[in-house]
Amino acid sequence: MAPFADATAVCRTAPGFFEAEIKPGWDILGNANGGYLIATAGRAMAATAQRPDPVSMTAHYLSPGRAGPVGLETTLVKAGSRFSSVSATMSSTKPVVAALGTFGELGRSGSGDDEARLVDGRPPELPEPEACLPLDRGDEQPSFMKQVEMRLHPDDAGFAFGKPSGSARMRGWFRLRDAEPIDTIALLCAVDAFPPTIFNANLPVGWAPTVELTAHIRARPEPGWLACAFTSRFVTGGFLEADGELWDSTGELVAQSRQLALVPREAPTDG
Amino acid sequence: MAPFADATAVCRTAPGFFEAEIKPGWDILGNANGGYLIATAGRAMAATAQRPDPVSMTAHYLSPGRAGPVGLETTLVKAGSRFSSVSATMSSTKPVVAALGTFGELGRSGSGDDEARLVDGRPPELPEPEACLPLDRGDEQPSFMKQVEMRLHPDDAGFAFGKPSGSARMRGWFRLRDAEPIDTIALLCAVDAFPPTIFNANLPVGWAPTVELTAHIRARPEPGWLACAFTSRFVTGGFLEADGELWDSTGELVAQSRQLALVPREAPTDG
């Protein structure tokens, strides 16, 4: 059982061309989760790069991804001795995602004998997963929340009960279902899996559509839960950023992310 | 006199195709500054987008840019009602930069009547420009440092005298020469103009080649010096990130940046 690998599988149909399917149920109110989309794009790009790990991956979101077949067109921009760079477009009836990434072969977390090492940060302090709030329960949860396992810090869960914490922050645990290992492609999903930070700010902002997301993958995670923290520091001029840090079970930083989202001019309806 | 606009000028030769020149003197030890390169790419991309301002811009560096003619091939990935997304490749004898950006029309800094506003940060505390260290003096400075005006915080200038501060941080003022206004394309240069943060860390790392840089441009800056701060928090597994914040003379955040760079396996030589 590898539900995430299944949901993000791609099939090469010609050099640089792939078919995939946006699976039903990986959506938020009908729109596929953005991290799920770039993980799927990442599979095609890694195949074209002939290197397994996204080192840096950027996606620009062009239109909502709906369940159904999609095509992926990839271009090998450069094949180097250690890294290869690939651009990609995912399209259905119209373009959904444009991506640009550099791929390589990353070490396991903590495996490096780093001569140069600086870590000015640490994993978020989280209660044990059992003491955090699961996001996959209740019929009112968006479908995507049932595809992966997340546990939210109780201090950041108030938004779900109409009591946002007042801090534009989301912290919690992430793992895949059925004990599926988290590879570096799955990290591309994890960086965009949690509810928006902005839900915990006392601001008149609902779902904020992402313009662009960049993830730096720093290492292959060791098995176990990822400890994740997302924060927004700047909501200005109709845009907001959200910064993420993902730490594996050994306490190593495995990914950093930043996204730029639009502050909707009017509150979206659920319909 | 608009030396920066001149140095980043592009000439359209066919739909989507542009010619430009990497000018002599915009280099660090023979390699063109990365921000200068993406500013030049940004001009071509903005022309293809038919929108003036890069909202989010990502560049992957493929090979060093040398002085001389380059070609730019751009593709309009999506033209939307508010934003247009464009991919681009800059090439000379081989590909130099691959870029992906979303362009729109940004407001002047502070012009928005933001219903939703959050600013969890502030400009770096800098002595007046006259009390900071100019980077354009002395024959030993890289050529690029003479093309724009920068003044470094005295506390961050120790690296230049063999006394790094011990904090992986660079703070200082930036402006263009000859009172040329800083447009949003020039911000793409400013985010990569300062000496590497890592020069101030007590780590065995010299020039760290950039793999990828992403800039979010948040507003058109008001005239005057930009107050800039760059910090690296994570040097692990052979990679480092550097985060930048640029604030204009009215105290508004105008750009955020993050880059991923390689920690060289051996100290580079100057030759």
Side-chain angles (χ1 to χ4, degrees):
Chain A
M1 293 284 289
F4 182 76
D6 289 348
T8 55
V10 298
C11 175
R12 199 175 82 123
T13 55
F17 289 84
F18 298 80
E19 288 177 355
E21 188 192 345
I22 298 178
K23 304 286 186 193
W26 287 75
D27 63 291
I28 311 280
L29 302 174
N31 298 334
N33 168 266
Y36 165 60
L37 292 178
I38 60 169
T40 304
R43 297 246 184 255
M45 294 163 79
T48 296
Q50 296 189 281
R51 298 184 190 271
D53 302 311
V55 170
S56 175
M57 174 76 154
T58 289
H60 289 243
Y61 294 95
L62 309 175
S63 60
R66 313 285 190 188
V70 288
L72 283 144
E73 185 175 350
T74 65
T75 302
L76 182 63
V77 183
K78 183 197 172 190
S81 59
R82 284 181 65 195
F83 302 106
S84 294
S85 300
V86 176
S87 64
T89 310
M90 174 190 283
S91 305
S92 57
T93 53
K94 49 187 175 177
V96 174
V97 171
L100 180 60
T102 291
F103 291 73
E105 190 155 352
L106 290 170
R108 290 170 60 184
S109 93
S111 67
D113 49 348
D114 294 342
E115 280 184 54
R117 184 175 167 87
L118 168 69
V119 179
D120 179 11
R122 56 182 177 179
E125 291 181 15
L126 296 169
E128 292 299 306
E130 298 70 34
C132 289
L133 195 84
L135 285 175
D136 55 353
R137 300 212 178 138
D139 288 342
E140 292 178 16
Q141 287 292 343
S143 309
F144 171 74
M145 301 296 172
K146 299 179 171 66
Q147 304 295 347
V148 296
E149 283 192 82
M150 290 183 281
R151 303 280 184 276
L152 208 58
H153 192 307
D155 292 352
D156 298 345
F159 75 94
F161 313 104
K163 293 187 191 299
S165 69
S167 286
R169 185 167 67 167
M170 289 283 168
R171 294 163 299 175
W173 302 102
F174 175 98
R175 69 180 180 188
L176 296 178
R177 296 206 159 278
D178 302 329
E180 182 176 355
I182 298 176
D183 63 8
T184 52
I185 298 285
L187 290 176
L188 299 177
C189 179
V191 297
D192 194 38
F194 281 82
T197 52
I198 206 72
F199 281 9
N200 269 327
N202 289 314
L203 292 174
V205 180
W207 283 102
T210 302
V211 174
E212 176 266 333
L213 184 152
T214 293
H216 295 172
I217 307 300
R218 299 295 291 262
R220 296 182 181 177
E222 290 294 297
W225 288 98
L226 299 176
C228 308
F230 299 88
T231 311
S232 290
R233 294 175 53 225
F234 300 107
V235 183
T236 62
F239 295 90
L240 65 89
E241 44 72 57
D243 271 28
E245 292 177 14
L246 279 60
W247 305 77
D248 77 358
S249 58
T250 70
E252 282 285 320
L253 180 79
V254 292
Q256 266 191 302
S257 67
R258 178 175 287 165
Q259 60 177 276
L260 184 72
L262 277 178
V263 177
R265 287 169 165 174
E266 296 177 26
T269 60
D270 285 1
Chain B
M1 291 286 288
F4 182 75
D6 289 349
T8 55
V10 299
C11 175
R12 200 176 83 124
T13 54
F17 289 84
F18 298 81
E19 289 177 355
E21 188 192 346
I22 298 178
K23 304 286 186 194
W26 287 75
D27 63 291
I28 311 281
L29 302 174
N31 299 334
N33 168 265
Y36 165 61
L37 293 178
I38 60 169
T40 304
R43 296 246 184 255
M45 295 164 79
T48 296
Q50 297 189 280
R51 298 182 189 272
D53 301 312
V55 170
S56 175
M57 174 77 155
T58 289
H60 289 244
Y61 294 94
L62 309 175
S63 60
R66 313 285 190 189
V70 288
L72 285 145
E73 185 176 350
T74 65
T75 302
L76 181 64
V77 183
K78 184 198 172 191
S81 59
R82 285 182 65 195
F83 302 106
S84 294
S85 299
V86 176
S87 65
T89 310
M90 175 190 282
S91 305
S92 56
T93 54
K94 48 188 176 177
V96 173
V97 171
L100 180 60
T102 290
F103 290 73
E105 189 156 351
L106 289 170
R108 290 170 61 183
S109 93
S111 67
D113 49 346
D114 295 344
E115 280 183 55
R117 183 175 168 87
L118 169 69
V119 178
D120 179 11
R122 55 181 177 180
E125 291 181 15
L126 297 170
E128 292 299 307
E130 298 70 34
C132 288
L133 196 83
L135 286 174
D136 55 353
R137 300 210 179 139
D139 289 343
E140 291 179 15
Q141 288 293 343
S143 310
F144 170 74
M145 300 297 171
K146 299 179 171 65
Q147 304 296 347
V148 296
E149 283 193 82
M150 291 184 280
R151 303 280 184 275
L152 209 59
H153 193 306
D155 292 352
D156 298 345
F159 76 93
F161 313 104
K163 294 189 191 299
S165 69
S167 286
R169 185 167 67 167
M170 289 284 168
R171 294 163 298 175
W173 302 103
F174 174 98
R175 68 179 180 189
L176 296 178
R177 296 207 162 277
D178 300 329
E180 182 176 355
I182 298 175
D183 63 7
T184 53
I185 299 285
L187 291 176
L188 299 177
C189 179
V191 298
D192 194 38
F194 281 82
T197 52
I198 207 72
F199 281 9
N200 268 327
N202 289 315
L203 292 174
V205 180
W207 282 102
T210 303
V211 174
E212 175 266 335
L213 184 152
T214 293
H216 294 173
I217 307 300
R218 300 295 290 265
R220 297 182 181 178
E222 290 294 297
W225 288 98
L226 299 176
C228 308
F230 300 88
T231 311
S232 290
R233 293 176 54 224
F234 300 107
V235 183
T236 62
F239 295 90
L240 66 89
E241 44 73 58
D243 271 27
E245 292 177 14
L246 278 59
W247 306 77
D248 77 359
S249 59
T250 69
E252 281 285 318
L253 180 79
V254 292
Q256 266 192 301
S257 67
R258 177 175 287 165
Q259 59 176 279
L260 185 72
L262 277 178
V263 178
R265 288 171 166 174
E266 295 178 27
T269 60
D270 285 2

